[in-house]
Every structure is written in structure tokens, then in C-alpha cells.
């Protein structure tokens, strides 16, 4: 499938809940995953990025250059974040916003509910890079891009490692 | 049409950006990347502008450079249409102000393979005991470990923090 890129109005819509996990949806999820894997190093993708306004997102940070805590490959249907904790700044880019990255503040830890592709309910806690990826993808379901959350380079909330 | 790099510097005053950009817009020019900021009591503008090959940007902006007393400099854009280089490391430096901080730090970093993409510095603190603060984003061509160990060679009077930037692609 083709990735929509901003400015495309379809990226700014609020997506609808998935009501039935039927074959059509399962087929779409496989296509969405294939599309993510075509994107250069994309750790996630959300249905609205291919023009389907349904609350479906995929996140997988298990293969990043720098290893981080993760829940493996996650297919999230009707996901909802129930708790946010801490703030951390990080750099983000997006398949739907080529050739630009910017700094975004996200919650460091989140609690999240979602259904997997079998319809099984999950409640997980996620932190760090995975939590950032989840927040980034779930924003797409509400018509938000990381561009909506950009902060100046001067806003300095990087976590520091002191070498001296 | 061609791209040029335009630099404007003058005493800071309200309305510089609006005046400059409005003239360029009215003349059919188009702006791209820009960096504009107050430097001490000055205001400095650096921007890429696309304009007609026969358009004289200095003459076009003469009304505003004269009335606002701005110095203008125009260079041909030698690197048009390049993609962004993404930083993979962020370095902050601070300490009691003294001559040579920038030279020393950037010298060590250049040697260790850092390509600076963005650098900002400020002087703060009390006027009789100023401190110097520098923030650098760059691309570690020889790896971040090399930068980290190179920074250890710096004196104890400046604090240096290095943070890798792991860009998320979603």
C-alpha cells in the first residue's frame, strides 16, 4: 500500500473503532505490516497512514540498532493509553513526513489497553523508546502528527549520560 | 530562478523579519530554510531564497536595509536541493566564561569525526561572573564512543554532556 504523506487531509482525521475483527480487517493488518516493513527502518505504522481511518497500529522496536525494553511485535486494535508518567524529549521522524525530523516530548512510561488480532485484550506497561513509538502511532489515530508536538531545539530535556 | 543564501545583520528592533520577508514575497521570491535570532543586541538572519536570475536582491531590499540599518550579504547557494542530514548526537557544554571554549571543544570534536549540524551558544550568569553555554547537534562520522573519549581530554573547568540521539521513525 502507498503511504500517505502530509499535506494529505486524511492524516488529520480521527479514526473509528474497529467493531468486527473479520477477515477483511485481518487481511488489511497483514498488508499494513508489509507496508511498514517497506518503510526505511520504521518501528511502527498506523492505519491512517495508508488512508484507512480505523484504530489499528503496529509497533515493533525489537530490532533497533540500540536494544531497548520491548514487547516484541505488537498489533494494537482500539488501543487506549490509560496512564502517562514522566516526560522525555526525543527525536522523531515519520513515514508520512519525509526528510524532516524534530524534537518531541513524550511520556516516559505509559499504561496501555488494546486488543490483538485474535481479539484478546491486553493491558501492558511500556517505557522508553517503545512507549515513544506507541504514543507516536496512536497519535495518528487521532489525526495528530509529530509536527503537532514539535518543540524547539533549545528545549532541552534530553536524558544525560555524563562522561566527565 | 536560482537559490541564494542571504545574510542580514543589524541592531535588533521590532519588525525586521516581517519587513524583509514581505518585500521578498511581493517580489515573487520564495524562502526555504532559515535561521534567525537575536545575537547580543543584534538581530541576524540567514536564509535560503529562490529568486529570478536577473533579480537584484540587494536593490530589492534597499528600502528596508536603509531604513532599519541592516547589513546585507548575498552568496550563491552552492548546495541547492540537498536532503537533511540527521544529527545522531547532542552535546552540551557549560562553564565559567573564558576565551577558547568554542575553539577547544570544537577542535577536539572535529578531530574525533563530528560534523556539526547545529550549534548555539549563549552567555549568561552574573555580569561580573559570566558563564558560557553551548549546545551542539551533529553527526558522529567515526562513532559516538570516539567523541565521548575525545571529550575526556578537555579540562576540568568545563562540563560536557553527550547524549546519543536515537531518532524514532514511525
Amino acid at each position: 500500500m502507498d503511504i500517505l504523506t502530509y499535506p494529505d487531509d486524511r492524516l488529520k482525521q480521527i479514526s473509528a473503532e474497529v467493531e468486527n475483527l473479520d477477515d477483511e480487517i485481518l487481511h488489511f493488518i497483514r498488508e499494513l505490516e508489509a507496508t511498514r516493513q517497506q518503510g526505511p527502518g520504521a518501528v511502527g505504522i498506523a492505519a491512517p497512514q495508508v488512508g484507512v481511518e480505523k484504530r489499528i497500529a503496529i509497533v515493533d522496536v525489537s530490532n533497533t540498532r540500540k536494544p531497548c525494553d520491548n514487547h516484541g511485535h505488537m498489533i494494537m486494535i482500539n488501543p487506549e493509553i490509560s496512564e502517562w508518567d514522566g516526560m522525555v524529549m526525543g527525536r522523531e521522524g515519520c513515514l508520512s513526513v519525509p526528510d524532516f525530523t524534530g524534537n518531541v516530548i513524550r511520556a516516559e512510561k505509559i499504561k496501555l489497553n488494546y486488543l490483538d488480532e485474535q481479539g484478546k485484550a491486553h493491558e501492558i506497561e511500556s517505557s522508553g523508546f517503545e512507549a515513544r513509538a506507541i504514543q507516536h502511532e496512536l497519535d495518528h489515530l487521532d489525526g495528530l502528527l509529530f509536527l503537532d508536538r514539535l518543540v524547539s531545539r533549545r528545549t532541552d530535556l534530553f536524558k544525560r549520560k555524563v562522561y566527565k | 530562478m536560482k537559490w541564494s543564501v542571504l545574510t542580514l545583520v543589524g541592531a535588533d528592533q521590532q519588525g525586521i523579519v516581517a519587513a524583509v520577508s514581505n518585500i521578498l514575497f511581493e517580489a515573487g521570491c520564495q524562502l526555504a530554510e532559515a535561521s534567525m535570532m537575536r545575537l547580543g543586541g543584534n538581530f541576524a538572519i540567514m536564509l535560503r531564497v529562490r529568486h529570478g536570475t536577473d533579480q537584484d536582491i540587494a536593490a530589492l531590499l534597499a528600502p528596508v536595509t536603509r531604513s532599519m540599518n541592516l547589513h546585507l550579504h548575498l552568496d550563491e547557494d552552492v548546495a541547492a536541493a540537498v536532503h537533511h542530514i540527521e544529527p545522531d548526537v547532542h552535546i552540551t557544554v557549560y562553564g565559567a566564561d573564558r576565551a577558547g571554549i568554542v575553539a577547544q571543544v570544537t577542535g577536539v570534536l572535529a578531530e574525533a569525526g563530528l560534523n556539526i549540524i547545529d550549534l548555539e551558544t549563549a552567555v549568561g550568569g552574573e555580569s561580573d561572573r559570566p558563564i558560557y553555554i553551548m549546545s551542539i547537534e551533529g553527526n558522529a562520522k567515526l562513532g559516538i564512543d570516539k567523541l565521548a573519549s575525545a571529550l575526556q581530554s578537555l579540562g576540568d573547568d568545563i562540563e560536557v554532556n553527550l547524549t546519543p540521539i536515537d531518532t524514532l521513525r514511525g
Side-chain angles (χ1 to χ4, degrees):
Chain A
M1 288 180 282
D2 290 334
I3 300 261
L4 305 184
T5 54
Y6 186 78
D8 186 313
D9 270 353
R10 287 171 289 176
L11 290 165
K12 302 300 292 174
Q13 310 302 317
I14 294 179
S15 292
E17 299 249 319
V18 175
E19 311 220 331
N20 291 310
L21 273 173
D22 53 23
D23 285 350
E24 198 185 324
I25 290 282
L26 294 176
H27 176 73
F28 167 71
I29 289 171
R30 283 193 295 276
E31 300 255 292
L32 186 64
E33 172 61 11
T35 307
R36 177 184 78 87
Q37 290 188 8
Q38 280 163 23
V43 294
I45 193 167
Q49 290 182 276
V50 294
V52 174
E53 278 143 30
K54 291 192 188 335
R55 303 190 81 82
I56 302 171
I58 300 173
V59 164
D60 184 357
V61 299
S62 63
N63 278 314
T64 50
R65 198 163 40 96
K66 203 176 110 191
C68 59
D69 289 345
N70 68 83
H71 290 81
H73 186 268
M74 304 162 72
I75 294 169
M76 296 172 285
I77 297 155
N78 300 338
E80 211 164 318
I81 298 174
S82 57
E83 283 179 35
W84 292 259
D85 193 26
M87 281 199 295
V88 62
M89 185 150 93
R91 193 91 170 186
E92 298 186 16
C94 184
L95 296 173
S96 297
V97 187
D99 201 27
F100 180 75
T101 64
N103 291 330
V104 178
I105 295 172
R106 300 283 188 187
E108 191 168 18
K109 269 163 90 174
I110 53 171
K111 200 180 258 186
L112 169 81
N113 299 285
Y114 64 93
L115 301 176
D116 65 19
E117 72 277 26
Q118 271 111 42
K120 191 174 160 225
H122 294 260
E123 185 181 47
I124 63 158
E125 280 181 32
S126 178
S127 61
F129 199 71
E130 184 184 64
R132 171 171 299 274
I134 293 169
Q135 292 171 78
H136 177 113
E137 298 313 331
L138 267 52
D139 264 357
H140 281 299
L141 310 181
D142 291 321
L144 293 172
L145 300 169
F146 79 97
L147 301 177
D148 292 300
R149 300 191 187 275
L150 277 185
V151 293
S152 144
R153 286 187 301 252
R154 283 171 172 256
T155 311
D156 196 1
L157 263 176
F158 281 97
K159 278 176 76 179
R160 283 292 156 60
K161 197 184 263 180
V162 179
Y163 283 89
K164 289 196 61 189
Chain B
M1 300 295 271
K2 66 171 189 173
W3 287 98
S4 294
V5 176
L6 172 66
T7 309
L8 289 156
V9 182
D12 190 24
Q13 56 199 293
Q14 194 263 333
I16 298 176
V17 179
V20 169
S21 55
N22 192 53
I23 288 181
L24 294 173
F25 173 66
E26 294 292 339
C29 304
Q30 200 183 345
L31 309 187
E33 291 86 348
S35 181
M36 312 185 189
M37 67 193 306
R38 196 176 146 95
L39 293 174
N42 310 285
F43 193 76
I45 295 177
M46 289 180 291
L47 58 83
R48 291 182 61 224
V49 55
R50 187 166 174 257
H51 57 93
T53 39
D54 54 349
Q55 240 170 350
D56 183 344
I57 296 295
L60 209 58
L61 288 172
V64 59
T65 52
R66 253 199 311 270
S67 71
M68 298 186 117
N69 199 21
L70 305 173
H71 297 273
L72 176 147
H73 187 83
L74 197 72
D75 286 294
E76 214 161 295
D77 187 339
V78 291
V82 290
H83 289 286
H84 290 105
I85 299 176
E86 293 306 333
D88 58 10
V89 63
H90 182 232
I91 297 156
T92 58
V93 177
Y94 69 91
D97 193 16
R98 62 166 168 82
I101 295 177
V102 179
Q104 207 183 350
V105 173
T106 58
V108 161
L109 292 171
E111 180 95 346
L114 183 74
N115 180 24
I116 294 175
I117 295 169
D118 190 274
L119 183 150
E120 287 171 342
T121 75
V123 183
E126 293 176 81
S127 51
D128 60 338
R129 278 195 318 150
I131 58 171
Y132 200 75
I133 305 115
M134 175 158 63
S135 172
I136 304 172
E137 282 186 356
N139 200 257
K141 293 193 169 306
L142 304 174
I144 289 170
D145 291 347
K146 180 121 191 186
L147 294 180
S149 55
L151 288 170
Q152 309 237 8
S153 71
L154 293 170
D156 285 337
D157 69 325
I158 46 178
E159 299 290 329
V160 180
N161 294 298
L162 179 149
T163 317
I165 300 175
D166 294 304
T167 301
L168 178 139
R169 293 188 188 282

